[in-house]
């Protein structure tokens, strides 16, 4: 489960009404991410590009590690 602070959580209505302001905060790195809640459920996350790229690179590294471990285990 993700951890977050209260100022990172917005309702879908707040996002619709304040999209430009929220997008500017995220894209200028004032905020790395915004959690969007609809009907009291977490529905989406808005990330700035730097954070998205960092997470994408981490996924590639983790997939490579997993693949290498799987090959090693199959070789035994």
């Amino acid at each position: 489960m993700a951890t977050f602070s209260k100022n990172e959580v917005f309702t879908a209505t707040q996002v619709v009404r304040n999209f430009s302001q929220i997008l500017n905060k995220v894209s200028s790195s004032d905020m790395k991410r915004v959690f969007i809640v609809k009907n009291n459920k977490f529905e989406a996350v808005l990330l700035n590009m730097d954070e998205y790229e960092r997470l994408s690179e981490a996924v590639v590294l983790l997939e490579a590690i997993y693949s290498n471990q799987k090959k090693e285990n199959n070789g035994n």
Side-chain angles (χ1 to χ4, degrees):
M1 183 63 140
T3 59
F4 51 87
S5 63
K6 192 174 182 178
N7 69 338
E8 293 177 314
V9 179
F10 292 86
T11 65
T13 302
Q14 288 174 310
V15 172
V16 168
R17 291 182 180 163
N18 303 297
F19 184 75
S20 292
Q21 179 184 5
I22 293 169
L23 182 60
N24 286 337
K25 285 182 179 182
V26 171
S27 61
S28 69
S29 296
D30 287 346
M31 303 173 85
K32 287 185 178 181
R33 62 196 178 180
V34 167
F35 295 90
I36 302 170
V37 177
K38 184 174 182 180
N39 299 324
N40 294 320
K41 286 179 49 183
F42 288 95
E43 293 289 344
V45 178
L46 178 65
L47 301 172
N48 69 32
M49 276 311 286
D50 290 339
E51 185 69 3
Y52 173 79
E53 289 171 352
R54 185 185 72 79
L55 291 172
S56 293
E57 290 170 5
V59 167
V60 169
L61 289 173
L62 290 170
E63 286 173 341
I65 291 168
Y66 175 76
S67 178
N68 287 337
Q69 286 180 343
K70 192 173 179 181
K71 285 179 188 175
E72 288 175 8
N73 289 340
N74 288 340
N76 288 338

